[in-house]
Amino acid sequence: MLPDLVAKTGSEILLNNTYHLLLRPGPEVVAQLGGVHRFMGWDRPILTDSGGYQAYSMADTNSVDDEGVTFKSIVDGSSVRLTPERAVEVQSQLGADIVMAFDDCPPAEAGNEQISESASEQIGEEDPRLTRAIRRDSRGKNYDHAARLKTANERTVRWLERCKAEWVRRGSAGSAGEQALFGIVQGGTDLGQRSWSAERICGIELPGYAIGGVAVGESSEAIAGVVRHTAPLMPEGKPRYLMGVGYERDIVAAVLAGVDMFDCVLPTRNGRNANAFTASGQIRLRNAGFAVDAGPIEAGCDCAACSPGLHGWATPGGGPFSRGYIRHLFMAGEMLGPILVSLHNVRFFQRLMMDIRRTIREDDWSGFADRWPQARAGLAGVL
Ligand SMILES: [Zn+2]
């Protein structure tokens, strides 16, 4: 998607993956080309994650110790080392506006089968590499999840202190070249561990805080339970960011718990796979049933794919790109299919968030539930 099209959906901030930019083209190359904003032609805010999550979930082999993580590059197989200091250095070279602390991300508690199934569903068919990595994350008989969680939690606090020291040392906390460092609360689905982590992580003075380690395969109920418990433990006057979420119901439940920020690959990853979000559920545009469907992806949608006329696009009569045409594009392997459905999906989530902001002001959640039936399950506490 061209940056201007992304901006016109109402998107104000992008997330860049540090892990991928670290391996290719490398932070030095991005820095030489003027930092991530110039590199990708995006002049609005950018957030970079720390690279930790992918180092754990995608790497072929990795080892973690108190100093950092060593993993094998998925690009060339070379050994790559990430420490809290190196993660802050890399993000400083990339030049994002919000940078994330490097944390220890233990695997989710759910059994492997359950994780695989749910994670595969979220990942879609596109990234078998990641699916494999998650499946491979099987544990030996001696694996003690509670012990692993506790170690990760304690390590994450020590690593945040090291991240902050490096962030201050580099002058990234100052006005020129300012980058806002966010700490990440961990603890899996163990609410006691979440409380412990929130107290210590939020006890370290920073511009914002995140909830990490959710949406790694748990149920919506489990995600909502962790978020409802954890968000109120985080400072009210600073951004609360829920990483990697998600579906409409999960977003709404988290907003009601007091979360302000989200990121997720769903709109574009599902868009690339011909799955379009609509208020009443996702539709698979490859289905034969859409072959001669002249309607837009979603009636009433104001995105450039559904309502090109609103965007000054000279289609015949200002009419939509039809479901039948988009299906054809996917069947023929044409690039425009993924572009149009991604455009629609990104705008879909912007419309959802606009409506959530309006509903917070007007406090009419039953009206909201009527407009967004897929989000209803996340509104249990207010309907
Ligand atoms: Zn649309």
Side-chain angles (χ1 to χ4, degrees):
M1 291 177 71
L2 292 166
D4 187 55
L5 291 182
V6 178
K8 282 176 177 157
T9 63
S11 301
E12 296 177 344
I13 179 167
L14 296 187
L15 183 148
N16 286 184
N17 280 123
T18 294
Y19 174 83
H20 292 291
L21 291 171
L22 169 65
L23 301 186
R24 189 170 47 193
E28 295 78 12
V29 171
V30 175
Q32 279 175 40
L33 293 175
V36 277
H37 296 84
R38 282 183 193 279
F39 184 59
M40 64 190 299
W42 177 261
D43 68 354
R44 297 178 180 199
I46 293 176
L47 178 151
T48 42
D49 60 13
S50 68
Y53 176 73
Q54 278 87 10
Y56 287 96
S57 64
M58 295 186 73
D60 273 343
T61 57
N62 67 52
S63 64
V64 54
D65 54 67
D66 280 334
E67 278 305 298
V69 180
T70 305
F71 58 92
K72 206 164 135 188
S73 163
I74 54 164
V75 175
D76 60 10
S78 63
S79 179
V80 182
R81 178 82 171 154
L82 264 181
T83 62
E85 290 78 14
R86 177 62 177 152
V88 170
E89 180 190 18
V90 168
Q91 293 184 83
S92 168
Q93 289 172 304
L94 294 174
D97 305 282
I98 299 176
V99 298
M100 301 305 296
F102 188 67
D103 57 342
D104 186 359
C105 316
E109 187 167 22
N112 253 359
E113 299 284 304
Q114 201 180 331
I115 291 175
S116 307
E117 201 177 308
S118 174
S120 302
E121 180 204 317
Q122 290 193 27
I123 288 158
E125 52 239 68
E126 192 186 319
D127 203 342
R129 196 177 47 200
L130 182 51
T131 313
R132 266 204 313 274
I134 291 170
R135 289 217 172 102
R136 197 188 44 239
D137 186 26
S138 55
R139 295 146 206 154
K141 287 196 173 71
N142 297 324
Y143 177 80
D144 179 346
H145 185 71
R148 175 71 184 91
L149 206 59
K150 189 165 181 292
T151 303
N153 246 358
E154 292 167 1
R155 196 176 268 152
T156 293
V157 174
R158 291 194 298 273
W159 285 4
L160 178 57
E161 284 162 354
R162 285 167 56 186
C163 284
K164 183 177 178 182
E166 179 67 13
W167 175 66
V168 169
R169 196 186 69 75
R170 295 191 151 267
S172 302
S175 51
E178 185 179 357
Q179 294 185 300
L181 174 66
F182 282 24
I184 305 172
V185 175
Q186 286 288 354
T189 50
D190 181 326
L191 302 185
Q193 288 287 331
R194 285 281 173 188
S195 297
W196 188 92
S197 178
E199 189 182 337
R200 278 149 191 89
I201 296 293
C202 300
I204 298 172
E205 177 73 20
L206 289 170
Y209 302 94
I211 300 173
V214 295
V216 288
E218 325 89 309
S219 66
S220 277
E221 292 70 31
I223 295 174
V226 168
V227 174
R228 279 194 203 104
H229 175 83
T230 311
L233 304 175
M234 302 159 73
E236 204 174 84
K238 292 185 176 179
R240 294 166 174 158
Y241 165 29
L242 179 58
M243 303 183 78
V245 170
Y247 287 101
E248 302 95 311
R249 58 176 190 257
D250 302 332
I251 289 176
V252 170
V255 165
L256 291 169
V259 171
D260 307 296
M261 295 170 58
F262 304 88
D263 79 275
C264 198
V265 296
L266 276 176
T268 47
R269 186 160 58 197
N270 287 17
R272 288 197 295 277
N273 286 306
N275 289 350
F277 283 87
T278 76
S280 52
Q282 287 188 64
I283 57 172
R284 301 179 71 90
L285 288 163
R286 282 180 187 272
N287 286 356
F290 296 121
V292 290
D293 190 330
I297 298 172
E298 184 175 26
C301 176
D302 60 1
C303 84
C306 298
S307 302
L310 293 178
H311 298 259
W313 292 16
T315 57
F321 293 91
S322 67
R323 290 169 163 186
Y325 176 57
I326 293 171
R327 176 177 184 272
H328 160 72
L329 292 172
F330 275 98
M331 300 313 280
E334 287 290 340
M335 286 188 288
L336 187 55
I339 292 172
L340 290 172
V341 184
S342 296
L343 194 54
H344 166 82
N345 283 353
V346 174
R347 178 60 185 163
F348 173 89
F349 277 92
Q350 291 300 338
R351 286 194 284 112
L352 176 75
M353 297 314 295
M354 282 166 53
D355 202 346
I356 288 175
R357 289 190 284 270
R358 189 181 89 187
T359 304
I360 289 172
R361 287 191 299 271
E362 298 175 355
D363 201 27
D364 175 17
W365 291 100
S366 66
F368 177 87
D370 291 342
R371 292 188 294 277
W372 303 91
Q374 281 295 303
R376 181 176 281 272
L379 291 163
V382 289
L383 287 183

